[in-house]
């Protein structure tokens, strides 16, 4: 005779095997509001595609690519482009569609791709902070420290760290049983909304997720803040002109770091069982931040604006 616990476990496993797709509940239940945001996010998405493509072409086909800051900026634009391609088209589709579903395999793929690209972007932001730090604190050793070979090594490390981070979350999800519940209170496959569907105690898993995501991201953010505080402290002995020039070099990066990290930390700070506005806040680093990044690095960057004018003027004259 089988015990009631064993029968319940077998029933749970059967239900888990029958779950072949998940249904998204979306951002809002108000259809008119979703149609309004459909147009808004579509415009944001087109702006991200166009803007980051322009940055990539401008940096790649100009002398800016020889500068380390723009070399990393090129990769940051590429990550923003890939990240939005992974997440935003499906979000836009769901805002207009009556049914919002995704297969289990597609859900796993989206989870892995999103966290891989986010992990790489986080590390690239760290690389850009390191570049600013060395340029301001150790200007005489800058070329020796931030040479192209070391920059390439940092990019490889960014992909390695991003892969490790994403594969850890994916393996965690693969081992979890889903007991027939397939309504995800979100617009994408993320670890927190998926954990709410798990039919076993997720206390340990929550700790692992917080350790793997929140603690690491928060630690990186604090290190970045500390590095810029150290930069500001070391600038106190310089002239006002030198201070303004140095601060303008890294102010854009500070804005991008804050816009990306603060919503990310808020989204993952609470465990999966808690109720917060994580899906609404996640729109910020999924859609809004990539669009603001390109505005910050173009409209606030004199050298980028000058290069853009020269490059596109040259292209227009060549066509004539």
């Amino acid at each position: 005779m089988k015990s009631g616990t064993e029968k319940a476990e077998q029933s749970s496993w059967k239900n888990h095997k029958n779950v072949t797709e998940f249904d998204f509940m979306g951002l809002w239940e108000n259809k008119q509001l979703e149609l309004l945001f459909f147009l808004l996010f579509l415009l944001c998405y087109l702006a991200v595609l166009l803007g980051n493509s322009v940055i990539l072409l401008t940096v790649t086909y100009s002398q800016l690519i020889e500068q380390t800051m723009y070399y990393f900026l090129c990769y940051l634009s590429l990550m923003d482009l890939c990240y939005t391609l992974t997440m935003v088209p499906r979000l836009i589709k769901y805002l207009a569609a009556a049914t919002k579903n995704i297969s289990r395999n597609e859900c796993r793929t989206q989870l892995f791709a999103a966290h891989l690209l986010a992990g790489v972007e986080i590390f690239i932001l760290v690389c850009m902070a390191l570049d600013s730090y060395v340029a301001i604190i150790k200007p005489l050793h800058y070329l020796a420290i931030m040479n192209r070979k070391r920059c390439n090594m940092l990019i490889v490390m960014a992909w390695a760290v991003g892969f490790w981070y994403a594969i850890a979350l994916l393996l965690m999800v693969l081992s979890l049983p889903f007991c027939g519940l397939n309504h995800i209170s979100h617009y994408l496959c993320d670890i927190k909304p998926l954990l709410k569907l798990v039919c076993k105690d997720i206390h340990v898993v929550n700790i692992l997720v917080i350790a793997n995501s929140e603690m690491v991201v928060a630690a990186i953010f604090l290190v970045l803040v500390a590095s810029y505080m150290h930069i500001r402290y070391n600038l106190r002995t310089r002239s006002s002109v030198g201070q303004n020039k140095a601060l303008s070099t890294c102010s854009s990066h500070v804005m991008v770091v804050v816009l990306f990290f603060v919503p990310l930390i808020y989204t993952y700070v609470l465990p999966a069982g808690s109720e917060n506005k994580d899906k609404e806040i996640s729109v910020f680093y999924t859609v809004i931040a990539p669009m603001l990044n390109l505005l910050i690095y173009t409209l606030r960057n004199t050298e980028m604006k000058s290069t853009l004018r020269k490059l596109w003027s040259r292209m227009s004259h060549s066509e004539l």
Side-chain angles (χ1 to χ4, degrees), residues 63 133 176 185 191 250 290 318 320:
Q63 297 296 320
Y133 183 87
L176 297 175
S185 180
I191 185 67
C250 58
S318 62
L320 295 174

Side-chain angles (χ1 to χ4, degrees), residues 9-288:
E9 287 178 351
Q10 285 189 1
S11 175
S12 174
W13 175 251
K14 288 179 181 178
N15 286 336
H16 167 57
K17 296 292 285 185
N18 290 332
V19 174
T20 58
E21 66 178 22
F22 296 102
D23 294 327
F24 291 115
M25 297 175 67
L27 277 170
W28 302 279
E29 295 181 2
N30 188 322
K31 194 62 183 176
Q32 291 182 337
L33 188 62
E34 287 196 333
L35 289 175
L36 175 64
F37 276 91
F38 167 82
L39 295 174
L40 176 62
F41 290 160
L42 180 61
L43 292 174
C44 291
Y45 178 58
L46 294 175
V48 170
L49 291 181
L50 179 61
N52 282 291
S53 298
V54 168
I55 289 178
L56 283 170
L57 290 172
T58 302
V59 174
T60 305
Y61 292 99
S62 69
Q63 297 296 320
L64 293 179
I65 194 64
E66 297 176 3
Q67 300 182 41
T68 305
M69 184 183 87
Y70 293 102
Y71 176 76
F72 286 131
L73 175 60
C74 207
Y75 276 98
L76 182 67
S77 293
L78 180 61
M79 290 303 102
D80 279 339
L81 199 59
C82 293
Y83 187 78
T84 51
L85 282 170
T86 303
M87 312 299 295
V88 182
R90 193 177 287 271
L91 166 60
I92 294 172
K93 173 188 171 184
Y94 288 156
L95 287 172
T99 58
K100 306 173 177 65
N101 52 44
I102 187 172
S103 71
R104 189 168 59 183
N105 289 334
E106 286 178 331
C107 183
R108 292 167 178 170
T109 302
Q110 186 184 65
L111 175 73
F112 176 78
H115 285 274
L116 168 64
L117 296 170
V120 175
E121 180 159 344
I122 287 171
F123 199 88
I124 289 175
L125 288 172
V126 173
C127 294
M128 295 178 76
L130 176 64
D131 178 65
S132 297
Y133 183 87
V134 175
I136 295 171
I137 303 300
K138 297 186 177 181
L140 298 179
H141 303 282
Y142 177 76
L143 294 178
I145 296 174
M146 301 302 296
N147 56 63
R148 188 49 56 92
K149 182 180 179 180
R150 185 166 284 121
C151 291
N152 290 333
M153 184 182 68
L154 289 172
I155 294 297
V156 172
M157 286 179 62
W159 281 100
V161 170
F163 180 81
W164 168 81
Y165 167 66
I167 202 69
L169 285 179
L170 180 62
L171 292 175
M172 204 179 298
V173 170
L174 290 176
S175 64
L176 297 175
F178 297 94
C179 304
L181 299 174
N182 67 340
H183 294 286
I184 300 178
S185 180
H186 217 289
Y187 61 89
L188 56 86
C189 280
D190 202 0
I191 185 67
K192 282 185 64 180
L194 283 175
L195 287 179
K196 294 181 181 180
L197 307 182
V198 176
C199 60
K200 72 172 187 179
D201 184 15
I202 59 171
H203 179 71
V204 176
V205 179
N206 264 325
I207 294 174
L208 292 174
V209 169
I210 291 173
N212 187 51
S213 301
E214 181 61 27
M215 298 303 293
V216 173
V217 172
I220 292 173
F221 179 68
L222 290 175
V223 169
L224 293 178
V225 171
S227 70
Y228 283 111
M229 289 177 65
H230 189 235
I231 288 174
R232 187 69 184 89
Y233 177 78
N234 279 271
L235 288 175
R236 72 191 190 284
T237 57
R238 299 190 185 183
S239 64
S240 58
V241 176
Q243 287 187 30
N244 292 334
K245 184 177 180 181
L247 289 174
S248 65
T249 303
C250 58
S251 62
S252 296
H253 186 66
V254 171
M255 292 176 64
V256 170
V257 166
V258 171
L259 289 172
F260 184 77
F261 275 87
V262 172
L264 196 66
I265 292 171
Y266 172 84
T267 301
Y268 289 96
V269 72
L270 298 175
S274 58
E275 293 294 332
N276 62 346
K277 299 292 184 180
D278 55 348
K279 67 179 179 180
E280 289 85 356
I281 296 297
S282 65
V283 170
F284 197 82
Y285 60 78
T286 303
V287 183
I288 307 301

